[in-house]
């Protein structure tokens, strides 16, 4: 019983300090390949997401779905060894013609989590 106000006070302090450190420090998706809202003639062999700051591959990833909503099998997310701001996901099989949705999430080096979604097309 007597522990409850203390717990709430601690939570408030934690929330305030989280808000203070998160200001302006969230990674943003700056570009992607295949690019958003672009159709290409060639099936991509990988999806590359470029962020404004370094992201941690093991806490980041994406779901790729076709226009019927079926999840497409992908490889595991990895950092580009040349660029810690880039997340790379291999596509083991060629994509059929159609529209695809990438639903991504990423955790930056400062442990902030962001997510988003975009679409691209393959027409052959
Ligand atoms: Cu942040």
């Amino acid at each position: 019983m007597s522990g409850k106000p203390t717990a709430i006070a601690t939570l408030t302090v934690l929330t305030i300090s989280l808000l203070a450190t998160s200001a302006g420090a969230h990674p943003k998706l700056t570009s992607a390949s295949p690019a958003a809202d672009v159709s290409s003639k060639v099936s991509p062999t990988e999806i590359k997401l470029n962020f404004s700051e370094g992201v941690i591959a093991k806490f980041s990833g994406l779901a790729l779905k076709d226009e019927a909503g079926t999840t497409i099998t992908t490889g595991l997310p990895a950092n580009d060894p040349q660029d810690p701001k880039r997340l790379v996901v291999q596509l083991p099989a060629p994509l059929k013609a159609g529209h695809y949705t990438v639903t991504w999430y990423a955790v930056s080096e400062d442990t902030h989590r962001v997510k988003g979604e975009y679409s691209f097309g393959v027409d052959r």
Side-chain angles (χ1 to χ4, degrees):
M1 281 289 213
S2 61
K4 220 170 188 180
T6 312
I8 291 168
T10 307
L11 200 65
T12 306
V13 171
L14 275 174
T15 307
I16 290 167
S17 59
L18 277 175
L19 287 173
T21 53
S22 66
H26 285 48
K28 286 189 182 71
L29 184 70
T30 54
S31 64
S33 169
D37 305 322
V38 171
S39 278
S40 69
K41 300 268 181 214
V42 186
S43 174
T45 57
E46 58 189 15
I47 293 175
K48 289 181 271 192
L49 303 177
N50 299 305
F51 292 92
S52 57
E53 56 186 277
V55 292
I56 305 169
K58 69 174 170 180
F59 299 134
S60 307
L62 59 81
L64 178 65
K65 288 187 179 178
D66 66 16
E67 55 199 68
T70 306
T71 300
I72 310 294
T73 304
T74 69
L76 293 173
N79 279 114
D80 183 332
Q82 308 298 318
D83 185 355
K85 297 178 182 177
R86 176 177 289 166
L87 201 67
V88 182
V89 173
Q90 302 290 332
L91 300 178
L95 299 178
K96 294 175 188 140
H99 281 90
Y100 293 87
T101 304
V102 178
T103 305
W104 58 265
Y105 61 95
V107 173
S108 59
E109 286 163 353
D110 64 6
T111 71
H112 296 144
R113 186 183 162 106
V114 290
K115 57 184 178 169
E117 190 175 277
Y118 77 93
S119 298
F120 68 87
V122 176
D123 43 32
R124 282 184 286 178

